[in-house]
Structures are given as structure tokens and as C-alpha cells.
Amino acid sequence: MSKVSERAEELRSQIQRYRMAYYQNNESLIPDHEYDALEKELKALEQNHPELIDSQSPSQIVGGKAAEVFSPVEHLEPMLSLDNAFSKEDFLAWAKRVGEGPFLCEPKIDGLALCLTYEQGVLTRAATRGDGAVGEDVTQNALTIKGIPHRLTGTHHPEVIEIRGEVFFGLKDFARLNASLVQAGKPVFANPRNSASGSLRQKDPSVSAARPLRMLVHGFGAWQGNLKSQSEVYELLASWGLPTTKRYEVVKDAEAAFEFITNLESSRHDVEHEIDGAVIKIDSLQNQSELGKTSRAPRWAIAYKYPPEQVNTKLLDIRVSIGRTGRATPFAVLAPVLVAGSEVEFATLHNQDQVKAKGILIGDTVSIRKAGDVIPEILGPVLALRDGSETAFEMPLNCPECGQKLARASSADVDLRCPNSKSCPAQLRERIAYIGSRAALDIEALGYVSAAALTQPLEPKIPPVISEADLFDLKLEDLLPIRSMVLDPDTGLAKHDALGNPKIVDFFARKDGSAGEVAIKLLANLEEAKTRALWRILVSLSIRHVGPVAARALTEHFGSLSAIFAASEFELSEVAGVGPTLAQSISEWFLIDWHKEILERWEKAGVQLAIPGHLGPGSASKNGIFAGLSIVVTGSLETMTREEAEAVIIELGGKAASSVSKKTAFLVAGPGAGSKLIKAQELGVAVISEQEFLQRTAGNSN
């Protein structure tokens, strides 16, 4: 695998993690501008190297999937995201592509996207965006939001219409809510956006009803209307009693639109809700229709993102955390400071080279910026405020948690790593937490706090989990004695109470010593996880470079983990999407005895390590109707995702390739097909529709 492809895979993994946290857990793990930079870098890599584009790349799909707390809802029309502009040049380049105005300009609300479905004027469903195609049914909670009409007023209501908008907390309402929490001795919310998202996505609608949620609508999905402009749509929606913003303007050209952008930025703190930019749309609905959309965003609209706000604070210390692969990451401990509506006390520094590059010293007053949440970026020191007491940071020689000497995995690795992968408490804690994440086995009761309690309890002195091998052997009697400190998932540091004492909890037992809800739920979740899809089992082993795409391809081809680990590196690298670097990583992982013990103990505990009915390595390729064929899928499909189509191709013996070449048997092209379709036409490669693909595979796939 080339450095470019490795970087692309790393970016995809990071972006997926941050999307998952943002859309499903109501958490922002990095500032918005850092996330935007990752997306921008990935898009540039894929544009320059089209062969790297993967159907499940974040660049090809809208963020987030529907959580399992609520029923999944399929939108009548895809609920897309927006492309971003970060400078006047970006914006004018977009304006040149879409043609002349007029443009409708409005604030970009930093809230949670919501889709309201009205039938004959009656609200029948409310759903979050989810992955753009499927969201979460939050109807009962949405019905509690003041301002959302249960029945439309006015006349001429369509038979069915989807109304899109944003749910948020007004800034004054948010301040009052936090003040009431302080008065009640309860922890305050971090920021309006995540708090609004969490409030709407509560199992109990009465919780949503008790929160001052609001909504503003800004467009529609499914609707056969006869209006001519977006601004007319807003007027009609308002006449139906729907809450619309009064802050939009229709301007004649791009220069006037950019003037709106700059004026709004200068007065952003006067807006009643948080904004992180402006949205500019072509006002003409006919022009919108002609411009169309990509697989993830309309071409006729763009979000202009404002630079994040900056503040100064004291850098109290620089410490080091250890990740699940042993990576040592410095992070800054800051004097708590309010930035963009939330209190910040930590900032990631990535590696020791970045600390030097920023020129920061412990004790400095530093300038930080943050676009909306948990871990901001340190820009640099305020040199004029140095008094000579500052000290330089020195990267520790040894792991702060297990004492092993830190080292680079290779000469090309910029990061130092702890080599004690088996026994390092931090690595074990992070790996166990990862097993429970949605990226791996999706075990609801196995979050970061549970993982810390299982691997590093205060009592008993010997943890019940000293290796992944122990996880599926856990019994109730192993859980009840556990007393543990509550650790922060971002830093691994102990959380403290109001008096400054570490928080210590009986995590799995009630006060009377009986089993608590978490203990019972964890054991039930672990039992359910034993029959998860085989690719999830493979991902959960934390083998370096093995993500969901490669895991799917490997498990579909080999059918069992024993077959995967028995294969040679050459055989592994021949599987589509694997390659020599990943193949070497798999082979090296299985050479370690305690890794083998994980598989042996899991299998003995009943974990399903093979696909039922699979005929063995290469069986599909020997018997399937696509045997030996290289097939590419591109564009948006209507009846399945591209990943599902590629799974069918693999199941029927074909190779689901990522790029078009002379060896491509045919291209399956859906709406929005771009460069791959053009290349196929240039090379004379056959192109078929989704319907033709379904006809060819009918009755063949399981």
C-alpha cells in the first residue's frame, strides 16, 4: 500500500470516527475547522488519485447513521449535506459554476437537522438526517417542541410534503437552562448544538418537552409544488404556520451575496442562536433542478464556514496519553476557558514535533481557537506575556502508564509508541472500549467508562479483564465487586467531583450489592455480540490497517478467521482492497501467541468466527455468476447502497474494484456518476444501470 493510499485510509478512519461521535453520540471530538480540513484533504487525495475512491468513503456519503435507540426511517427524498467554502475565492468559484443569481442568503444554524413529514397538512413523522437516506424516528419528541405545528394552518396543503430545518437552543434559553442546572447542583451542558441534539434524541419524550428546544425550517424534500423560487417557498411555509427565519435576504449577484456573508459574520453574536457560517442558495427552483446534486450535496447551495473564534488562556501542563495501537499523543492541560459557548480545559497536540513547531512552553499564555466543541487547537504562544518562568516540554522516554520505553514503529513513523501492547493498561483499556464501539461489535453497555472499570478497577486488585480473551468469559460475580475511578475518554485522566476528589463508583452493583442495570445489560450485550457479522469480529481485533472495507472483503472471500490467518501474505494481498501492507500486518498479528489465545478463548465462549454456510476460501469466486470479473459501482443507487452492491459482487465471485480500467467487465452506474463513467466510456467498457444489475443478480445472491 502506497503512502498516499495509507493516508487516505487513515483520513477515512478518522472522519468516520468523528462523524459517529458527532451524529450519534452528540459529541464533537475535534473542532469543526480541523474536521473540515480532514475532509478537504481526503477529497483532494481522491480527486488526484481516482483509483482510491471507495463507495463508503466519507467523501461519497452523508455523515452519520441512524442509531439503534430509535426506529430507522427512510426519507422520501435523500437528506443531503452541503459543500463548504472557506474563503471568498472558494465562494466566487462556486458562484461561477452555478451561474447568475439571484441568490437567497441565510444564517447557517449550528443545530440538528430534522425532517418533518406532513400528510394532508397533519404532522405524521419527524426524523433526523442519519446517513441522508435513513434517519431516526423522533416523532414523539418533536411533537413536544413549541413552534412545530401538529397541523398546518392556511390552505392548499400538498398530499405529502417533507419539510427540512434545524433544531437548536436559543442562546438565552441555553444560558437559563444551564443556570437552573447549577442551582440544582447538576452538571451543565457543554454547548447548545450537542445539548439540543441530545435533548431531541431522548428515549423519554418528557425530557425533550422539559428543554427549551426550537426549530427553524429552511426548505423541503419530497414535494410536487408549482412555486418558482426558494423565497416563495419560505413565504408559503410561513403562511402554513411553520417557523422560518426572518434573517434571510435575496440578492442579485455573487458580490452582494458575499457582502451578506461578511455582514452576518460581524454581527454573529447578535443572532439569537449559534451560527457557524452562512448558506447561499440559488433562488430559482428551476435552476436548482437543472443544477442537480452529487451523491452527498446539492450543487445549487453552499455553506460558507466562518473561522473559529479565538481566546487566550494559560497552558498549565503538557501530558501524554496512550492510544489502542500504542501511539503516544501529547495533550495540553489548560486553565479552563469559555470558547464558543463551552468550557475548554484540554487540547490535543498530536505529537512531539507539533509541540516544537508551535513553539509553546509550559506556563505560556496561549492562543486557542475552536469551532464548537471538546478539544480545540492551540495556535501558538502569546510571546509578549512571557515572564521567564516557562519551561520546555520534554517527551517522556517511557510510557506514562506501564513504564515501557517509547519508540517509533519504523524509521518513517513520526509517532512514538508504547511497544507493550499486551500489558499496557492504557492500550488494553482503549482496545476494550473500541470493541464496544459502533465501528466494531457495537456493544451498547461497553463504553469507555465500562472498559476502564473492567481493566483498571481499584477493587478487586486483579482486573477481571487482563486481555481481550477474557471479555466473553465474564460472569456476574466478576462484575459486582468492581469499584473504579471514572476516566475522561479524551485524556484517560480521572474525573473529579466538585470538591476536587477523584470520582469513584461501584459501577456494576447497586448499593445493596445486587446486580445493577449496567451489569445485566453488559452480559446480555456480550451474548448478542457473539453472532455479529464476521467482518465486525475481525475489525474488533484492532489489527493495524484493518478497517471495515478490508474486513468485509477478507471475510467474504475466506469465510472464516481461521482461513484468513492460515492464508499466506500473497493470498491475502490478492483480495480486493487488501494489498501487501495490510496482508503483512495480518500475518504478523497472528504470529503472537496471546493474539492466538484471544481467538481460541472467544471460539470456546461461543463467538461465531465463521460465516455459516460459507464453502471456504475462494468458494464464491469458483461458483458465482461474476466469477473472475472485475466490476465497478459508481453513483447513487436507489434500492441499495454501493457497499451492498459490492457485497453482492463479491458474493457472486466477482472483484468489486474501485477504479475503471481495460480489465473492467462492466460499470454499474447510478445517478451522479462522474469521472468513472467518463473513463468507462473512453475505454469502451460496458455500462449498465442499477435495474440491469438487479436483473442479472436476481435469484443468485443470498
Side-chain angles (χ1 to χ4, degrees):
M1 186 182 289
S2 68
K3 288 185 178 180
V4 172
S5 58
E6 284 184 353
R7 178 56 179 162
E9 190 63 33
E10 181 182 7
L11 288 168
R12 290 182 190 124
S13 176
Q14 290 177 327
I15 292 169
Q16 292 286 27
R17 178 195 173 202
Y18 298 145
R19 280 188 176 183
M20 192 76 70
Y22 188 78
Y23 288 106
Q24 296 195 17
N25 300 337
N26 313 312
E27 297 176 336
S28 300
L29 301 184
I30 60 170
D32 288 353
H33 71 285
E34 287 187 18
Y35 174 83
D36 292 337
L38 293 176
E39 278 203 334
K40 193 172 184 180
E41 183 183 353
L42 178 60
K43 287 178 182 178
L45 276 179
E46 292 179 341
Q47 186 174 1
N48 294 329
H49 302 274
E51 71 279 2
L52 295 180
I53 298 177
D54 181 274
S55 63
Q56 290 302 298
S57 172
S59 66
Q60 305 298 307
I61 57 177
V62 179
K65 291 186 177 180
E68 295 184 358
V69 175
F70 300 97
S71 301
V73 170
E74 186 172 353
H75 301 301
L76 301 178
E77 289 285 340
M79 200 169 177
L80 302 178
S81 186
L82 290 174
D83 287 331
N84 296 323
F86 300 94
S87 65
K88 184 175 183 180
E89 292 73 19
D90 287 347
F91 172 72
L92 293 179
W94 168 81
K96 186 176 181 180
R97 290 195 301 273
V98 300
E100 298 179 353
F103 298 95
L104 184 143
C105 312
E106 61 189 336
K108 184 179 183 297
I109 303 170
D110 194 12
L112 174 71
L114 190 68
C115 179
L116 306 175
T117 301
Y118 287 87
E119 299 181 24
Q120 303 292 348
V122 177
L123 179 62
T124 58
R125 190 172 69 194
T128 63
R129 173 184 283 137
D131 65 1
V134 177
E136 302 162 311
D137 189 337
V138 292
T139 306
Q140 295 305 311
N141 293 5
L143 287 169
T144 70
I145 299 176
K146 295 178 181 178
I148 295 181
H150 297 187
R151 181 183 292 273
L152 299 178
T153 59
T155 58
H156 301 100
H157 306 135
E159 190 169 328
V160 178
I161 184 171
E162 286 182 318
I163 306 294
R164 272 79 188 273
E166 298 283 326
V167 173
F168 60 94
F169 278 138
L171 292 177
K172 290 182 179 179
D173 289 334
F174 180 72
R176 281 193 289 266
L177 176 63
N178 267 350
S180 68
L181 292 172
V182 170
Q183 194 171 22
K186 297 179 180 179
V188 298
F189 289 118
N191 62 75
R193 187 269 167 202
N194 288 2
S195 303
S197 177
S199 297
L200 182 65
R201 299 165 74 245
Q202 292 287 323
K203 293 180 181 179
D204 182 359
S206 66
V207 178
S208 300
R211 307 271 171 82
L213 292 168
R214 295 173 56 193
M215 183 181 185
L216 288 176
V217 302
H218 53 56
F220 60 90
W223 178 31
Q224 297 297 322
N226 58 1
L227 300 181
K228 294 182 179 180
S229 67
Q230 186 82 25
S231 49
E232 287 181 350
V233 169
Y234 280 19
E235 292 172 7
L236 181 61
L237 296 180
S239 75
W240 287 343
L242 288 157
T244 57
T245 180
K246 302 294 190 292
R247 293 182 177 274
Y248 77 88
E249 291 180 21
V250 178
V251 299
K252 63 178 181 178
D253 56 30
E255 285 295 333
F258 192 77
E259 183 177 352
F260 174 92
I261 291 170
T262 55
N263 289 340
L264 180 63
E265 183 178 10
S266 65
S267 61
R268 63 187 296 185
H269 296 292
D270 298 328
V271 181
E272 62 271 22
H273 50 72
E274 280 202 334
I275 65 172
D276 56 1
V279 176
I280 312 299
K281 304 173 181 176
I282 292 287
D283 194 37
S284 166
L285 297 183
Q286 180 178 341
N287 289 353
Q288 289 185 11
S289 179
E290 290 172 356
L291 287 164
K293 60 192 177 186
T294 66
S295 61
R296 66 178 300 276
R299 295 189 177 92
W300 45 266
I302 197 163
Y304 188 98
K305 301 293 284 289
Y306 293 142
E309 295 179 308
Q310 298 181 20
V311 298
N312 293 344
T313 191
K314 203 76 171 177
L315 174 59
L316 303 177
D317 197 5
I318 297 177
R319 301 179 188 174
V320 172
S321 63
I322 304 295
R324 67 186 172 96
T325 62
R327 179 186 177 189
T329 304
F331 65 92
V333 181
L334 304 165
V337 62
L338 193 68
V339 190
S342 63
E343 190 174 74
V344 170
E345 52 184 327
F346 302 110
T348 184
L349 292 167
H350 301 291
N351 55 59
Q352 66 274 19
D353 293 341
Q354 187 175 106
V355 178
K356 292 178 182 177
K358 290 183 180 294
I360 54 177
L361 302 175
I362 297 171
D364 265 335
T365 296
V366 293
S367 179
I368 65 173
R369 64 179 176 183
K370 159 182 177 302
D373 237 311
V374 181
I375 302 181
E377 175 188 8
I378 292 181
L379 298 175
V382 183
L383 296 175
L385 297 179
R386 279 186 176 166
D387 60 14
S389 64
E390 298 81 12
T391 58
F393 167 71
E394 292 186 11
M395 190 71 177
L397 299 176
N398 302 95
C399 173
E401 297 220 24
C402 73
Q404 285 281 328
K405 186 175 181 179
L406 300 175
R408 288 179 170 82
S410 67
S411 57
D413 198 346
V414 293
D415 298 313
L416 292 176
R417 297 179 186 274
C418 171
N420 183 21
S421 56
K422 180 181 180 181
S423 304
C424 176
Q427 291 185 62
L428 176 61
R429 179 179 70 238
E430 297 290 335
R431 291 199 306 269
I432 296 298
Y434 182 70
I435 288 173
S437 72
R438 289 186 174 93
L441 294 186
D442 195 11
I443 301 171
E444 186 178 352
L446 187 59
Y448 191 88
V449 177
S450 295
L454 291 169
T455 58
Q456 294 167 267
L458 298 174
E459 298 174 14
K461 292 185 178 180
I462 298 177
V465 175
I466 59 175
S467 160
E468 292 93 317
D470 299 318
L471 191 60
F472 288 97
D473 290 331
L474 286 172
K475 297 179 177 61
L476 199 57
E477 53 265 33
D478 300 321
L479 303 179
L480 298 186
I482 292 177
R483 301 194 78 236
S484 175
M485 283 195 297
V486 179
L487 302 186
D488 186 290
D490 293 315
T491 64
L493 299 177
K495 290 189 174 183
H496 294 76
D497 60 23
L499 299 175
N501 301 312
K503 289 185 178 180
I504 299 174
V505 294
D506 295 301
F507 193 71
F508 294 105
R510 294 191 176 99
K511 290 183 179 180
D512 62 4
S514 62
E517 181 182 347
V518 176
I520 296 170
K521 189 172 187 177
L522 175 61
L523 294 177
N525 287 169
L526 286 168
E527 192 62 33
E528 293 168 2
K530 292 178 181 179
T531 55
R532 288 281 195 268
L534 186 60
W535 69 267
R536 287 186 174 275
I537 303 291
L538 181 57
V539 167
S540 72
L541 296 174
S542 286
I543 302 172
R544 200 172 179 193
H545 306 305
V546 177
V549 174
R552 283 179 184 273
L554 285 163
T555 53
E556 287 287 348
H557 179 81
F558 289 99
S560 68
L561 294 194
S562 60
I564 290 172
F565 292 116
S568 67
E569 288 186 26
F570 175 78
E571 290 170 326
L572 292 170
S573 63
E574 284 293 288
V575 176
V578 178
T581 301
L582 198 151
Q584 181 182 359
S585 183
I586 292 171
S587 295
E588 290 178 349
W589 186 90
F590 193 64
L591 292 175
I592 299 173
D593 287 341
W594 69 271
H595 289 166
K596 293 178 183 178
E597 184 189 356
I598 295 171
L599 298 176
E600 292 168 359
R601 295 266 303 278
W602 282 13
E603 185 172 33
K604 188 176 180 180
V607 179
Q608 193 168 278
L609 303 186
I611 298 175
H614 197 286
L615 300 178
S619 60
S621 63
K622 295 174 183 175
N623 304 312
I625 61 169
F626 294 149
L629 300 182
S630 177
I631 302 166
V632 178
V633 183
T634 190
S636 301
L637 305 183
E638 296 179 359
T639 63
M640 63 179 73
T641 65
R642 275 187 279 178
E643 185 178 41
E644 289 169 342
E646 289 169 348
V648 171
I649 291 167
I650 294 170
E651 180 186 341
L652 297 179
K655 175 184 177 184
S658 59
S659 59
V660 177
S661 70
K662 290 182 179 179
K663 295 181 180 180
T664 303
F666 58 86
L667 174 74
V668 182
S675 58
K676 292 180 184 178
L677 176 59
I678 295 171
K679 189 170 184 180
Q681 292 168 338
E682 291 174 349
L683 296 175
V685 171
V687 179
I688 69 170
S689 66
E690 179 183 358
Q691 190 61 36
E692 291 175 282
F693 178 73
L694 293 173
Q695 290 171 356
R696 293 193 188 191
T697 58
N700 288 286
S701 60
N702 295 321

